[in-house]
Amino acid sequence: MPPGLVAAEDPTALVRFIAKQLIDPELFLAKVTALYADQVLQSHDVLEFTDSRTVELYSRPQKVAGTIVGRIWNFRDITSRQRALDQARRAMEELAAQADKLKELAFQDPLTGLANRMLFNERAAAALLTPEPVHVLLLDLDDFKEVNDVLGHHAGDEMLMEISRRLQECVGPHGTVARLGGDEFVVLLVGCRDADAVAQRVVGTLNAPVSIEGTLMRPGLSLGVASRDGGMMTSSELLRRADLAMYAAKEAGKNCYVHFRPEMLAALLERTQLTAGLRRAVELGQITVHYQPVVSADRLDVVQFEALARWEGEGQLIAPDDFIEMAERSGLIREIGAEVLRRSCTELAPWLAEDPFRSLAVNVSGVQLQHRDFAERVLDVAAWSGVDPRQLVLEVTESVFIDAHSHVITQLEALRLAGVRVALDDFGTGYSSLGRLQDLPVDVVKIDKSFVSMLRTGAEKLPILTSMIHMARSLGLKVTAEGIETLAQARYLMDHGCDALQGFLFSRPEPGSGRLLAVRNSVAAIAALEGVPLAG
């Protein structure tokens, strides 16, 4: 402030000088006028100058002996402090914005922008505190892995984003659509009176074709629906019920929805107990091997045994149909398969050594083939037990070739190169059948028993059955028919070109100690077969 202006002691000139430098001079002048109009008035103001300074102004009456004789003006430059306060305020605002963003990210799926599992659980828990109807629709995409494997993960992401968009359209603003991870989505409906209508709309809409990078694909899905009943329930319980219903939808053929039913919980408990029992059985060595003979149509002699897993538990014998699927789901099939291979190679090694034409067949699950060291382990067991790899036959179903990883095919080819043969089990019931037979790395096909059972008298005309046999033989493959129970069936299959025969006609599966009995039964059936006339 100019010294001359201060020395002049002219309050009006001083006020005008200050006002000219303020951002809002009119507000300052009005305040000064008000202060002079009311002698007892006090004020505390902050003045913003055009040169970015901030000045704090205090004004109070000046008293002498209790009488107001004038006014005291106190100006203090607080620019530095104000800037620090402004910086602190901006920092707090940025932190608040970041916190909001982090909270948003914490509740949002980064790929699709949908709610994530955390937000779903929060909203479901809140919904269950209300009296409104609450439904959960849980779904996953069937065979989604095919998109990633064939077209790449970028295409898979595009598919997930398209599915997300369709789901939101189906549900609308009154429900929550969340992605739980991978190809699994969940829908929360609160206050909805017709969950079936939404489920039907979801199945129909999601199953419509979608173009991904120029390739037209039709998403498949399985959907489970669970609704809050009259009792208390947590969001995790509701989600678990929807999960059980979803797997029931898969078992029902996929591309459909299934409602949760209480008996599903009982089935889950049974499966859990079965899995626990199976795990104990593996640990305690209760997995044994039974053998069923296979008869050569040319030599009319037992030339092969198929090794079949059995579970000897609590005084009863459990057949594979009752535990193999569970073993595959739990991953125990790898240990079971390895044990069956070790035992059968050890027990049959002397018998195999007597005749190089003889062989041992062992069933192999697709789960076992997923392990990259499978071929190496098979050959190690053969070497350890002294079994020639050329006397080993690995039986697989067609499902192992559907969307198979390249290493699965590579392992089978490596085994075949070492002399191990591959048989296609349950032929005719799978996905590819005759159409892809020539492309599969197999040496033998086994005609499924469902086709053999069509034979009653041996005089039937069964073009499907005979076509399968002739097609396989024309491709240089050997043909085994399984499930043979009558002499008429055996004669028909021999006359139409089957190389080997297997079934209860010859022998039921027997434990290792009963192999001689199995051979004697087979010899008796062969003798009876030689007296049966040729099929017409």
Side-chain angles (χ1 to χ4, degrees):
M1 185 176 295
L5 188 61
V6 176
E9 296 185 357
D10 184 354
T12 302
L14 186 61
V15 167
R16 288 174 180 170
F17 175 78
I18 295 172
K20 288 179 181 179
Q21 301 177 66
L22 295 177
I23 292 176
D24 192 348
E26 298 300 328
L27 182 62
F28 172 68
L29 292 173
K31 188 61 177 283
V32 171
T33 301
L35 288 171
Y36 276 110
D38 187 346
Q39 290 184 336
V40 299
L41 197 61
Q42 297 187 30
S43 105
H44 174 209
D45 300 286
V46 176
L47 307 178
E48 299 288 345
F49 283 72
T50 56
D51 60 2
S52 299
R53 285 180 301 138
T54 302
V55 174
E56 196 173 49
L57 169 61
Y58 289 93
S59 180
R60 60 181 176 81
Q62 184 181 24
K63 295 182 179 180
V64 175
T67 302
I68 298 175
V69 298
R71 181 166 287 279
I72 296 174
W73 300 87
N74 185 4
F75 293 88
R76 184 171 62 170
D77 191 330
I78 60 169
T79 304
S80 298
R81 188 182 74 178
Q82 192 63 37
R83 286 175 179 171
L85 288 173
D86 289 343
Q87 288 176 352
R89 187 185 66 254
R90 285 194 296 270
M92 292 298 291
E93 289 173 351
E94 290 175 2
L95 284 173
Q98 290 176 6
D100 289 342
K101 184 64 176 176
L102 288 172
K103 184 176 180 180
E104 180 182 325
L105 292 174
F107 288 116
Q108 187 180 72
D109 175 59
L111 174 65
T112 63
L114 296 176
N116 62 8
R117 184 185 293 271
M118 189 180 299
L119 182 55
F120 166 79
N121 286 334
E122 184 178 280
R123 291 186 177 176
L128 290 169
L129 295 176
T130 72
E132 293 289 336
V134 179
H135 311 278
V136 167
L137 282 60
L138 181 67
L139 67 98
D140 73 5
L141 304 181
D142 298 320
D143 306 319
F144 173 72
K145 186 172 170 293
E146 175 185 342
V147 180
N148 284 329
D149 291 345
V150 175
L151 299 179
H153 288 281
H154 177 70
D157 289 347
E158 281 194 32
M159 172 75 83
L160 293 174
M161 288 188 286
E162 173 62 17
I163 292 299
S164 301
R165 186 189 65 76
R166 293 184 182 186
L167 269 175
Q168 287 177 300
E169 286 184 355
C170 288
V171 175
H174 304 299
T176 296
V177 180
R179 180 183 176 218
L180 300 183
D183 61 343
E184 193 171 43
F185 296 84
V186 64
V187 174
L188 174 66
L189 300 175
V190 183
C192 177
R193 306 295 172 180
D194 192 355
D196 283 81
V198 178
Q200 289 172 3
R201 191 158 61 242
V202 167
V203 172
T205 302
L206 266 60
N207 195 229
V210 55
S211 178
I212 302 293
E213 297 188 349
T215 300
L216 197 64
M217 307 193 76
R218 184 182 294 274
L221 72 149
S222 298
L223 175 64
V225 181
S227 303
R228 190 249 304 269
D229 53 26
M232 294 293 293
M233 187 179 299
T234 65
S235 59
S236 60
E237 286 177 306
L238 196 57
L239 191 60
R240 183 178 65 159
R241 292 185 174 193
D243 188 55
L244 289 172
M246 182 182 73
Y247 278 99
K250 288 183 182 295
E251 293 173 356
K254 305 178 181 180
N255 284 326
C256 65
Y257 73 93
V258 170
H259 274 277
F260 168 81
R261 298 185 305 277
E263 55 265 30
M264 292 178 181
L265 280 175
L268 173 63
L269 178 61
E270 183 179 346
R271 288 197 301 270
T272 302
Q273 292 173 338
L274 181 63
T275 301
L278 184 57
R279 194 176 300 279
R280 286 195 302 272
V282 171
E283 294 170 353
L284 297 174
Q286 294 177 344
I287 302 300
T288 62
V289 182
H290 284 204
Y291 300 93
Q292 187 172 35
V294 179
V295 173
S296 166
D298 291 333
R299 299 176 56 155
L300 293 178
D301 191 13
V302 175
V303 294
Q304 183 184 93
F305 278 104
E306 180 180 357
L308 300 164
R310 293 291 187 271
W311 174 6
E312 293 183 355
E314 299 179 357
Q316 61 178 338
L317 197 63
I318 303 174
D321 289 347
D322 296 326
F323 69 86
I324 289 297
E325 183 180 352
M326 183 59 62
E328 290 180 327
R329 285 185 180 180
S330 63
L332 288 170
I333 191 64
R334 191 185 189 202
E335 297 174 56
I336 292 173
E339 178 65 15
V340 169
L341 181 63
R342 281 193 299 270
R343 284 202 183 195
S344 57
C345 282
T346 302
E347 293 180 0
L348 262 64
W351 181 77
L352 293 170
E354 293 173 3
D355 186 346
F357 194 76
R358 292 173 175 172
S359 60
L360 164 65
V362 180
N363 290 281
V364 174
S365 163
V367 177
Q368 293 172 266
L369 285 167
Q370 294 297 322
H371 293 269
R372 295 177 183 272
D373 63 347
F374 174 74
E376 180 182 351
R377 288 180 177 273
V378 168
L379 296 176
D380 284 347
V381 170
W384 170 78
S385 60
V387 172
D388 188 335
R390 291 172 294 184
Q391 291 180 286
L392 273 181
V393 180
L394 301 183
E395 296 190 3
V396 300
T397 60
E398 289 176 280
S399 61
V400 306
F401 299 111
I402 304 302
D403 305 327
H405 288 291
S406 58
H407 72 264
V408 170
I409 304 298
T410 301
Q411 288 193 99
L412 290 176
E413 290 175 341
L415 287 165
R416 294 177 77 209
L417 192 63
V420 178
R421 283 169 289 168
V422 177
L424 192 61
D425 202 7
D426 303 332
F427 182 63
T429 63
Y431 300 94
S432 51
S433 299
L434 298 176
R436 285 186 57 203
L437 187 56
Q438 61 184 344
D439 300 322
L440 302 180
V442 299
D443 307 280
V444 182
V445 295
K446 296 191 73 173
I447 303 295
D448 186 70
K449 59 185 178 183
S450 61
F451 294 96
V452 174
S453 65
M454 296 178 185
L455 294 167
R456 296 288 189 272
T457 65
E460 293 90 349
K461 302 296 182 182
L462 299 175
I464 294 178
L465 178 58
T466 55
S467 294
M468 287 194 293
I469 298 171
H470 297 154
M471 171 67 81
R473 290 185 62 86
S474 69
L475 294 173
L477 305 176
K478 297 294 184 180
V479 180
T480 298
E482 57 185 349
I484 299 172
E485 297 185 359
T486 67
L487 293 171
Q489 291 172 339
R491 172 53 66 188
Y492 182 98
L493 292 163
M494 289 174 62
D495 295 345
H496 284 83
C498 274
D499 300 286
L501 312 171
Q502 180 180 359
F504 289 173
L505 171 66
F506 303 100
S507 176
R508 291 179 176 274
E510 297 286 351
S513 59
R515 279 193 297 110
L516 289 179
L517 173 62
V519 171
R520 284 199 297 270
N521 290 338
S522 298
V523 169
I526 290 168
L529 181 61
E530 290 183 296
V532 177
L534 297 178

